[in-house]
Amino acid sequence: MKKLHIIGIIVIAASIGLLLSLSGEVATYANFEDAKMDTGVVKIAGKLLKDREMVYDPATDPNYFSFFIEDTKGIAKKCVLLMSKPQDFEMSETVVLTGSMKGEEFVATDVLLKCPSKYKDEEIALRNAAS
Amino acid sequence: MNEIQYVGEHLWPGLIGQGLNVLSFVAALLGAWAFYQGFKHRNDNEGASWESIGVKSFIVHGLSTLVMIGIIFYIMINQYYEYQYVQAHVSDDLPMRYIFSAFWEGQEGSFLLWMFWHIVLGFILLKKAGKWRAPVMLTLCLIQLFIGSMILGVYLPFGDDIRIGVSPMMLLRDMMAAPIFAQANYVELIKGTGLNPLLQNYWMTIHPPTLFLGFASTAVPFCFAMAGLMTGDHKGWLKPVFPWALFSGAILGTGILMGGAWAYEALSFGGYWAWDPVENMSLVPWLILLAALHCNAIATATGYSTRSTYLFYILTFVLIVYSTFLTRSGVLGETSVHAFTEMGLENQLVAFILFFLFWGVYKLATSWKAIPAPKKEESLSSKEFWMFIGALVLLFSSVLITTSTSLPVYNKIRQIFQPFYEGVVIAEPIPHYNKYQLWIGIFIALLSGMSQYLRFREINFPKVRNKFLIQLGIILVLSLAGTILMAQWINAYAWQYQLLLFAGVFAVISNFDYLVRVMRLRFSALGPAFSHLGFGFLILGVLASGLNKRFISSNPLVQRNSIDSFSDEDYGKNILLFKGMPMFMNGYEVTYEKDTISGFTRSFQINYKKLNPQTGAVEETFTLSPNVLYTKTFDKIAASNPATHHYLKEDIFTHISNLPRADTDREYAQEQEDSLKYILYEFGENEAFETPQYKVTVGTVNRSPEHHDYQSEPGDLAIGLPLMLESKKTGEVKSMEPMLVLRKDFLLTFPDIINDFNIKVKLPQQIVERYFEKENKLDYSKFDVLKDKSINFNGYEITFETVESNPTDLNYKSEEGDLAIAAILKLKDKEGNEETAKPIFFIRGNNSFSIKDYNAPFGLHTRFESVDPKTNSIKISVAQSKTEGIKLPIEIAEDVKRTDYIVLQAILFPGINLFWLGSIMMMLGLLISMFKRLK
């Protein structure tokens, strides 16, 4: 067998090994119940509850922002984001949080906002309309 | 229903444009067919005439596309909003310098940009491709057909309205149904959406054309590879393709790098690379292209690796199309921050990928056996062997990145069979990619250094073995020493990173040694060595700036919340700065000095003082001005643009991560204002009173007050009321001056705020009636004054200085035949302050009139009543506004939320210049190699 064939086989084996290990790096969007069971980091996608309290008081701590989301099972819980409040937060419908449960709170270190049609305005703006 | 006769529409550009669109498509089709015939008959008489038809078709295709692009610019510049593309990307207030950005903001425009570059490259190929012209242009025409179909906008007659592409020439009213189109003059009523404010910067002008030239240039090696397979001349194409591929490598690399520079310089992503799917899928084709370049070099030098060269050039182009699919089909949706919006082109994009993938793989598979390769295998001690290993490592890297990035595609496919399948995502993308790609970096850096000392087709290795081993040994020792030195500066805290650091240092030292000592800067070795040296620097830069990136915007003294199970890293990425209040953070004293608004941009001036860690003395001062861009309605932030202070050694990157909500949300600000509880107090000048928290002393009314929001206009009547406030709690004293302006019939209030005291004070409008008395209530005294003589009134000395003929005044409009004069009076109070008054007297027809002067600072009203020509004296009357005893209304709200702060994020990027230096060297190396191969 040629040397390159052997190396080829090693590379393919390594690829397969690494790709299999990929399953340990992926996650489905969890709900609060899953997050409680899981000791590691999970992603939770949930609906932002706009009528519940949102607390961001930079004078006390600029890296603490709390709000409530409702997960796919319909359970609502308080979430804490350890950074400044993202711009346009109130505009988003769904938020995806990366973090873990600490007691009854979900503590997140990262957030992804999904805003309805962020880049495209479906309405035609009219001249002289309120602007 | 009657057809509406619309007015104000410009239909002819759309008709011509769409005609050219179809012509361009048909010409590309004809070109493909003619070039195919030309290729088939290349050995008989017909070939040449077929080929010349192909050339003409491609020229027609190119020119019609160019004119069509011109027409789109024409309708964009003229703001013909009846066209959907214009309406979606242009607005009245869009500066002309962004017209190009607006053109390629949308999918249609960027497809056209892509085609444009193919046409430019195609025109060069028509001239330069020689005997390869017909088969190369055949493939290029096919590619143009597929891209052209994306913007064709034609409905197929069968089935339920199968649409091919979306034309940029579509009218808005054909694209959507809205009640506005019931009006014949709708064109006058609509306005453009305009360019997304995030994209309104110069990067958007230079990054897309460069990146798309990079994309387009990968098509040329693909066309050559397909030509090689079609003609069966597996050796001949390797030489002409090489400079094209090197060009492509340099441009595509530069385009990707510009994206990183954009993210770093102008967006608040906080870095130049984030392993975002869109970034990944432009990187992968470039990696494969590099692998192809190495195989191409092997193949031209030794004859090995021809098959791999084919495979990699084909893969490069297919991956470019795949990356287009990912960014444009909407499949990434949730996982990427910068994908296009969907346009319903998924199926066409899939067809685009599959066609070229299957065609390429089929041609390669059927020619596999016929592609020549030396019988003897590469020797372990030859350059070609290790170069090929390098190419394999790049392929391996690409497979890993592509697989992880394609998870959304995998989810979509699985959902076809399992509708309830939830889909998986990479939990933490950045550590995930870093973990694997780290090893790729190590391998590539080591290989790029070591293989330089080996030779192609080495047959006499035993002879040079000792020399090779000694050289390698010395370099290894030097690198080890270099690594230990570098580790003083770069903190590589895990052994994997230390290994990468070593590999980077090794790549730098070995390539430098090879270039200078071994090759003595010979031109032939310059390109590769330069690129590899650059790669070494890039590794060092990535390690320094990525691993040792530090959030310096943290203040350890700030009280933390009660979550104690998180590491320090999770805290302290942002600090709060009150205006004018210096704050200490990580060796800097930072002050938010002021903010200014111009247009939609609000800039913040942040002063940094670098403090000596031992003595605390100020070592250096600099000011950064990050800004935020508001949307046109001024009620939301569209973009937060960072500002960076560059040192040779490191960068200090600063951006505004949050603002008071009242500054970004008008409704909320109104709500806040409405919820304030103002209490009305009424006190006279120089009196004192108490509110729940403060002792307030009223000053004397200021007739020429100043306020940062107030710009005085002639004719304004302004009053300000200075107040002294003393906090009952702390005893601290501050002053403020709310003001009010009467401008014609409008009343403008300028409340004043003391943020430290959480207090807001405004003057209600009653103060005007109380303060500016009606004319008839004034008590005038009459005087006769001679020139240069003075009179006394209420302690004021009034001197008649001179008479001015034909005076101009705001309240006096002169008419033909008027006889007008003004008296210039000097007013002087007890303290010696001086003012000038200029009452006017004029005769119009048989009547005389006088226009009084009101001097606000002194509160003096003067009238010029008449002139006595005999004595040379004038008659004036003087009155003073009475302020004593007037109760002034003042409205005070306490416990007002502060709005004078920003939340700031500051990041230190050490050694980031090594990253830029390294990347630029890599691209330069590729360009140098291109020129070498052109010779």
Side-chain angles (χ1 to χ4, degrees):
Chain A
M1 210 195 260
K2 282 189 185 179
K3 288 183 289 285
L4 277 179
H5 289 168
I6 298 169
I7 287 168
I9 290 168
I10 294 172
V11 169
I12 292 169
S15 311
I16 293 172
L18 284 177
L19 292 182
L20 286 180
S21 80
L22 188 65
S23 59
E25 305 258 321
V26 301
T28 52
Y29 288 138
N31 53 43
F32 286 120
E33 213 173 293
D34 303 330
K36 217 168 211 172
M37 312 296 266
D38 200 322
T39 48
V41 171
V42 294
K43 273 185 194 247
I44 283 193
K47 213 177 99 206
L48 178 64
L49 299 174
K50 291 176 194 176
D51 48 347
R52 299 289 291 269
E53 192 188 26
M54 287 185 204
V55 179
Y56 183 63
D57 181 12
T60 322
D61 187 345
N63 297 300
Y64 180 97
F65 172 44
S66 76
F67 50 91
F68 286 83
I69 67 166
E70 189 184 279
D71 70 5
T72 42
K73 290 252 165 78
I75 300 165
K77 276 213 175 1
K78 186 179 174 186
C79 299
V80 172
L81 182 63
L82 295 179
M83 46 184 195
S84 63
K85 190 178 125 189
Q87 303 291 354
D88 285 352
F89 191 82
E90 291 87 357
M91 311 291 290
S92 41
E93 309 262 289
T94 315
V95 292
V96 179
L97 298 168
T98 311
S100 55
M101 289 299 284
K102 292 276 171 293
E104 280 304 292
E105 290 178 356
F106 186 82
V107 180
T109 49
D110 199 13
V111 67
L112 196 92
L113 304 178
K114 294 184 197 169
C115 308
S117 64
K118 190 173 176 184
Y119 291 107
K120 204 163 181 182
D121 225 343
E122 286 300 334
E123 290 160 31
I124 309 171
L126 296 185
R127 274 170 204 280
N128 311 321
S131 66
Chain B
M1 199 178 120
N2 287 333
E3 187 102 337
I4 303 171
Q5 291 295 314
Y6 290 110
V7 291
E9 286 185 337
H10 307 78
L11 295 178
W12 65 266
L15 291 173
I16 298 177
Q18 186 57 18
L20 289 168
N21 193 0
V22 175
L23 176 65
S24 150
F25 185 80
V26 173
L29 190 66
L30 183 64
W33 176 250
F35 280 123
Y36 175 66
Q37 291 299 331
F39 154 70
K40 229 172 85 178
H41 297 279
R42 64 188 178 284
N43 296 322
D44 55 55
N45 297 335
E46 275 179 60
S49 50
W50 275 115
E51 204 176 314
S52 94
I53 296 176
V55 171
K56 280 172 194 136
S57 306
F58 190 80
I59 290 172
V60 170
H61 161 74
L63 292 181
S64 51
T65 309
L66 292 181
V67 176
M68 176 182 169
I69 291 172
I71 288 177
I72 295 175
F73 273 110
Y74 175 80
I75 58 174
M76 287 175 88
I77 289 166
N78 286 301
Q79 296 162 349
Y80 292 161
Y81 296 130
E82 55 270 38
Y83 291 95
Q84 185 270 337
Y85 200 73
V86 179
Q87 198 273 334
H89 303 288
V90 179
S91 57
D92 290 354
D93 55 3
L94 184 78
M96 261 309 130
R97 64 177 184 278
Y98 292 133
I99 198 81
F100 287 103
S101 305
F103 172 73
W104 48 63
E105 184 197 18
Q107 289 227 34
E108 298 92 324
S110 63
F111 275 127
L112 276 167
L113 177 61
W114 196 4
M115 289 176 78
F116 168 80
W117 286 124
H118 279 153
I119 288 163
V120 172
L121 297 172
F123 282 161
I124 300 173
L125 282 169
L126 286 184
K127 268 217 135 9
K128 302 272 178 194
K131 67 163 183 152
W132 293 97
R133 186 163 72 177
V136 163
M137 291 305 295
L138 152 61
T139 313
L140 194 62
C141 284
L142 285 176
I143 295 170
Q144 288 294 76
L145 266 184
F146 273 94
I147 305 178
S149 76
M150 307 287 170
I151 52 161
L152 197 55
V154 164
Y155 287 86
L156 292 188
F158 47 83
D160 317 317
D161 275 0
I162 297 174
R163 194 189 61 191
I164 302 289
V166 178
S167 167
M169 294 297 173
M170 293 282 269
L171 290 175
L172 189 59
R173 59 179 160 90
D174 291 333
M175 294 281 280
M176 59 201 294
I180 184 103
F181 300 122
Q183 298 183 41
N185 64 341
Y186 81 96
V187 175
E188 291 168 24
L189 303 172
I190 54 178
K191 64 179 181 182
T193 313
L195 181 65
N196 185 335
L198 260 177
L199 304 177
Q200 293 193 15
N201 59 49
Y202 66 95
W203 289 106
M204 183 64 185
T205 313
I206 58 173
H207 168 61
T210 315
L211 190 68
F212 273 97
L213 176 58
F215 278 15
S217 60
T218 62
V220 182
F222 175 77
C223 292
F224 269 102
M226 295 313 291
L229 292 172
M230 281 189 281
T231 55
D233 181 359
H234 299 298
K235 267 192 144 58
W237 69 285
L238 289 168
K239 205 173 166 303
V241 76
F242 212 176
W244 283 102
L246 286 161
F247 171 76
S248 180
I251 301 296
L252 183 58
T254 308
I256 297 169
L257 204 63
M258 276 181 176
W262 179 2
Y264 178 68
E265 277 293 316
L267 302 170
S268 47
F269 293 0
Y272 45 83
W273 195 260
W275 294 111
D276 184 277
V278 171
E279 297 167 0
N280 292 351
M281 286 323 290
S282 59
L283 177 69
V284 165
W286 187 70
L287 292 178
I288 297 287
L289 182 60
L290 290 188
L293 285 170
H294 286 83
C295 291
N296 200 342
I298 300 171
T300 35
T302 68
Y304 289 104
S305 299
T306 309
R307 290 166 186 159
S308 313
T309 314
Y310 273 123
L311 179 68
F312 289 147
Y313 280 141
I314 292 170
L315 267 183
T316 302
F317 178 70
V318 171
L319 282 164
I320 287 285
V321 183
Y322 179 61
S323 114
T324 305
F325 164 74
L326 285 186
T327 45
R328 290 167 188 262
S329 65
V331 65
L332 289 179
E334 300 169 351
T335 54
S336 172
V337 290
H338 37 120
F340 283 92
T341 43
E342 285 174 59
M343 262 177 57
L345 294 175
E346 297 78 31
N347 296 335
Q348 271 175 271
L349 286 163
V350 170
F352 188 7
I353 305 168
L354 293 184
F355 177 82
F356 287 101
L357 177 65
F358 283 132
W359 187 37
V361 168
Y362 170 78
K363 280 308 245 182
L364 185 60
T366 49
S367 318
W368 194 263
K369 283 259 157 61
I371 299 171
K375 280 277 169 295
K376 192 177 159 292
E377 65 172 314
E378 298 96 325
S379 87
L380 205 59
S381 52
S382 69
K383 191 166 188 161
E384 58 267 28
F385 178 81
W386 293 104
M387 269 174 88
F388 185 73
I389 298 294
L392 271 188
V393 173
L394 288 173
L395 174 68
F396 183 56
S397 157
S398 306
V399 169
L400 292 182
I401 299 174
T402 310
T403 311
S404 302
T405 310
S406 302
L407 273 179
V409 180
Y410 166 81
N411 291 338
K412 269 267 154 63
I413 294 173
R414 214 167 138 176
Q415 274 156 2
I416 297 173
F417 305 103
Q418 265 175 284
F420 295 106
Y421 179 68
E422 254 187 287
V424 291
V425 287
I426 304 279
E428 290 188 274
I430 295 178
H432 164 81
Y433 289 106
N434 282 347
K435 193 169 93 187
Y436 293 132
Q437 297 306 317
L438 171 90
W439 292 101
I440 308 293
I442 294 173
F443 279 122
I444 295 292
L446 291 178
L447 286 170
S448 76
M450 185 199 76
S451 60
Q452 292 286 31
Y453 297 96
L454 296 168
R455 288 188 296 187
F456 282 124
R457 273 179 300 189
E458 181 67 78
I459 36 168
N460 261 335
F461 190 63
K463 259 195 187 164
V464 291
R465 179 187 284 137
N466 284 342
K467 196 181 162 207
F468 172 75
L469 288 177
I470 289 168
Q471 279 178 338
L472 200 62
I474 293 173
I475 302 285
L476 282 174
V477 170
L478 280 177
S479 305
L480 205 60
T483 309
I484 292 166
L485 270 179
M486 288 294 277
Q488 306 300 312
W489 177 52
I490 301 174
N491 178 16
Y493 40 76
W495 65 270
Q496 294 95 327
Y497 291 126
Q498 286 159 4
L499 199 59
L500 183 61
L501 182 62
F502 173 76
V505 174
F506 176 77
V508 170
I509 294 182
S510 55
N511 278 293
F512 185 77
D513 172 65
Y514 174 74
L515 184 62
V516 178
R517 186 182 61 84
V518 183
M519 296 308 286
R520 304 199 183 279
L521 293 172
R522 233 168 284 154
F523 183 64
S524 62
L526 202 57
F530 215 65
S531 285
H532 291 166
L533 192 57
F535 182 69
F537 282 130
L538 180 138
I539 294 278
L540 299 180
V542 167
L543 275 173
S545 62
L547 219 51
N548 293 353
K549 153 180 164 178
R550 220 149 41 89
F551 285 91
I552 55 171
S553 46
S554 64
N555 183 332
L557 303 174
V558 169
Q559 188 96 68
R560 282 179 182 178
N561 273 284
S562 53
I563 301 160
D564 46 19
S565 53
F566 273 80
S567 66
D568 278 358
E569 232 178 286
D570 297 325
Y571 284 107
K573 290 186 176 173
N574 302 283
I575 62 163
L576 177 81
L577 289 179
F578 287 112
K579 195 187 256 179
M581 206 194 279
M583 187 86 165
F584 290 99
M585 62 175 207
N586 274 307
Y588 291 89
E589 187 191 302
V590 188
T591 316
Y592 159 33
E593 289 183 326
K594 62 174 184 184
D595 60 317
T596 43
I597 292 190
S598 96
F600 295 109
T601 309
R602 180 165 167 207
S603 304
F604 299 85
Q605 194 172 314
I606 317 285
N607 180 271
Y608 279 74
K609 285 194 178 75
K610 190 173 184 179
L611 305 176
N612 185 300
Q614 268 85 45
T615 61
V618 177
E619 285 184 336
E620 197 194 347
T621 308
F622 57 89
T623 301
L624 288 177
S625 304
N627 64 57
V628 295
L629 187 63
Y630 283 92
T631 54
K632 279 173 206 153
T633 42
F634 242 105
D635 54 3
K636 259 195 320 187
I637 303 273
S640 169
N641 298 315
T644 307
H645 187 70
H646 301 276
Y647 292 102
L648 195 60
K649 197 170 124 251
E650 61 197 18
D651 276 8
I652 292 169
F653 172 96
T654 293
H655 81 104
I656 307 291
S657 54
N658 208 293
L659 286 173
R661 192 167 160 200
D663 284 1
T664 55
D665 182 341
R666 197 188 287 158
E667 267 175 46
Y668 178 80
Q670 192 57 49
E671 255 171 51
Q672 286 290 307
E673 179 64 32
D674 292 347
S675 72
L676 291 181
K677 287 187 186 71
Y678 282 104
I679 299 171
L680 180 71
Y681 298 87
E682 295 190 66
F683 287 91
E685 285 180 324
N686 303 317
E687 289 179 352
F689 62 96
E690 287 195 9
T691 71
Q693 294 174 43
Y694 299 96
K695 290 180 191 161
V696 184
T697 314
V698 185
T700 41
V701 169
N702 180 1
R703 299 301 196 96
S704 48
E706 285 173 3
H707 191 281
H708 56 88
D709 285 335
Y710 169 61
Q711 283 180 322
S712 72
E713 280 183 19
D716 276 2
L717 272 181
I719 53 171
L721 189 59
L723 300 172
M724 290 279 269
L725 288 93
E726 183 188 333
S727 164
K728 287 187 198 170
K729 227 186 324 184
T730 63
E732 203 183 339
V733 178
K734 298 236 172 190
S735 60
M736 64 175 352
E737 192 177 324
M739 63 174 280
L740 193 88
V741 176
L742 193 62
R743 179 177 292 169
K744 294 195 183 95
D745 296 332
F746 295 106
L747 206 57
L748 309 169
T749 41
F750 295 94
D752 203 2
I753 295 171
I754 299 177
N755 276 295
D756 291 356
F757 284 4
N758 304 88
I759 197 166
K760 187 168 182 178
V761 180
K762 64 180 183 185
L763 301 179
Q765 65 180 66
Q766 301 96 293
I767 202 166
V768 179
E769 289 138 38
R770 298 219 190 144
Y771 207 77
F772 298 116
E773 305 91 323
K774 296 271 150 40
E775 178 75 353
N776 51 22
K777 282 195 192 155
L778 286 172
D779 188 11
Y780 279 100
S781 314
K782 292 200 158 74
F783 296 94
D784 283 313
V785 219
L786 281 165
K787 196 163 181 292
D788 295 325
K789 289 283 174 326
S790 306
I791 50 149
N792 262 304
F793 175 79
N794 280 1
Y796 292 93
E797 190 185 288
I798 302 172
T799 315
F800 169 37
E801 290 199 317
T802 182
V803 175
E804 188 186 305
S805 46
N806 300 321
T808 51
D809 189 89
L810 208 70
N811 296 322
Y812 167 63
K813 286 198 185 68
S814 69
E815 278 182 20
E816 191 76 30
D818 274 5
L819 196 70
I821 47 172
I824 307 294
L825 304 172
K826 185 181 272 168
L827 316 174
K828 198 169 173 184
D829 72 357
K830 281 173 208 148
E831 284 85 41
N833 300 317
E834 290 193 354
E835 293 280 337
T836 308
K838 204 172 92 177
I840 294 173
F841 171 80
F842 69 97
I843 297 170
R844 181 173 290 167
N846 294 324
N847 299 317
S848 63
F849 302 88
S850 81
I851 293 172
K852 82 162 183 182
D853 177 277
Y854 173 60
N855 180 270
F858 290 172
L860 285 183
H861 305 254
T862 45
R863 279 181 177 285
F864 187 176
E865 303 284 4
S866 63
V867 188
D868 189 344
K870 273 179 249 167
T871 57
N872 251 345
S873 71
I874 59 168
K875 237 185 200 52
I876 57 169
S877 45
V878 189
Q880 188 173 26
S881 300
K882 288 218 164 49
T883 52
E884 296 99 50
I886 298 178
K887 291 287 175 210
L888 300 166
I890 308 162
E891 287 187 332
I892 300 180
E894 293 181 50
D895 297 317
V896 179
K897 279 192 184 156
R898 296 186 73 141
T899 53
D900 63 332
Y901 67 85
I902 54 172
V903 179
L904 184 87
Q905 190 166 79
I907 313 174
L908 190 86
F909 286 100
I912 196 163
N913 283 334
L914 276 176
F915 171 79
W916 301 121
L917 172 78
S919 341
I920 292 166
M921 282 178 77
M922 284 174 80
M923 306 313 154
L924 270 178
L926 287 166
L927 280 181
I928 294 170
S929 300
M930 179 188 91
F931 286 113
K932 186 190 128 197
R933 297 283 171 174
L934 272 175
K935 283 191 171 165

